[in-house]
Amino acid sequence: GNSVTQMEGPVTLSEEAFLTINCTYTATGYPSLFWYVQYPGEGLQLLLKATKADDKGSNKGFEATYRKETTSFHLEKGSVQVSDSAVYFCALRGAAGNKLTFGGGTRVLVKP
Amino acid sequence: ETGVTQSPTHLIKTRGQQVTLRCSSQSGHNTVSWYQQALGQGPQFIFQYYREEENGRGNFPPRFSGLQFPNYSSELNVNALELDDSALYLCASSLGGGISGADTQYFGPGTRLTVL
């Protein structure tokens, strides 16, 4: 079946540091890939997505590129802010599927 | 355009009781998916409803059931509650579903269920 593996947190950074969160997946065919963010006490917000190989999703300074050859969708941001402190989830939706399969989440803490 | 809303925000029940959680989908969306998120974990897919029919189910027992109404709002019902049912229950709405799969899913704020 489909699965998503994310790097474990917490990841602690200083403001303006570079952030990378690794995400790899296992799926048949060509899944769609997503990053969601969850702030404390809230639901999930879609951060970005990519639906085919080599697509780059971007939003709010975050980027991730769909790499089929390495089955990866790593999230990056060049300069983090305290307000980026949250839990980040990588997810996939199978090519013919309807459900999202999530990774375990990575907690990011940005200190001033 | 209103987003996905869920009610109630928090709920406390005891073992063996039954609970109903509610979700209103985003305007124009006809598909609702439900997820269970245990503390410190990623969400797990429970089931999806598309045009009032169940359209896929995850690895959850039959005591987890649902409904979708003509206005595309949805309910999640859980019977015979167990301690392990304590979790955040998330609803997501999207446009699409059926054979081709659902479009991007947008989540509500969730209902925090505590079973004592």
Side-chain angles (χ1 to χ4, degrees):
Chain A
N2 297 337
S3 67
V4 176
T5 302
Q6 290 181 236
M7 60 187 288
E8 287 192 18
V11 175
T12 303
L13 302 164
S14 298
E15 213 165 17
E16 300 184 3
F18 184 86
L19 171 67
T20 299
I21 304 176
N22 290 339
C23 170
T24 57
Y25 67 89
T26 301
T28 54
Y30 296 89
S32 295
L33 301 174
F34 304 83
W35 277 100
Y36 284 87
V37 59
Q38 187 172 38
Y39 297 100
E42 298 185 11
L44 301 179
Q45 296 180 23
L46 177 67
L47 186 56
L48 53 83
K49 69 177 183 180
T51 57
K52 60 183 188 293
D54 299 325
D55 265 2
K56 177 185 284 188
S58 61
N59 185 28
K60 299 180 181 180
F62 290 90
E63 292 184 341
T65 302
Y66 186 164
R67 301 287 189 199
K68 179 114 181 110
E69 63 276 13
T70 55
T71 61
S72 65
F73 192 53
H74 304 322
L75 182 69
E76 296 181 337
K77 185 174 185 182
S79 177
V80 294
Q81 305 300 313
V82 172
S83 58
D84 294 324
S85 298
V87 181
Y88 293 81
F89 291 95
C90 183
L92 72 81
R93 189 186 73 235
N98 48 20
K99 71 174 187 178
L100 289 172
T101 299
F102 286 87
T106 302
R107 181 175 300 278
V108 173
L109 176 60
V110 181
K111 296 186 174 180
Chain B
E1 179 180 285
T2 54
V4 180
T5 60
Q6 293 186 242
S7 63
T9 305
H10 295 89
L11 204 51
I12 299 175
K13 292 285 188 178
T14 57
R15 270 188 308 174
Q17 285 189 312
Q18 178 266 342
V19 68
T20 298
L21 310 181
R22 295 178 174 82
C23 171
S24 292
S25 58
Q26 186 169 311
S27 176
H29 286 182
N30 57 13
T31 303
V32 172
S33 305
W34 286 92
Y35 293 82
Q36 180 195 65
Q37 185 181 16
L39 197 62
Q41 298 183 22
Q44 298 290 317
F45 176 73
I46 303 174
F47 42 57
Q48 183 183 85
Y49 279 83
Y50 170 62
R51 294 184 175 178
E52 303 179 57
E53 298 285 333
E54 188 177 288
N55 183 42
R57 187 180 183 93
N59 189 27
F60 281 80
R63 59 190 186 84
F64 286 78
S65 63
L67 282 174
Q68 188 179 32
F69 301 99
N71 66 355
Y72 303 128
S73 66
S74 177
E75 285 182 357
L76 164 65
N77 298 290
V78 187
N79 294 321
L81 284 167
E82 301 177 359
L83 296 179
D84 284 349
D85 295 334
S86 294
L88 181 67
Y89 287 84
L90 296 164
C91 164
S93 78
S94 54
L95 180 62
I99 297 173
S100 63
D103 196 357
T104 301
Q105 296 183 18
Y106 295 90
F107 284 80
T111 294
R112 172 75 61 188
L113 173 65
T114 301
V115 182
L116 301 177

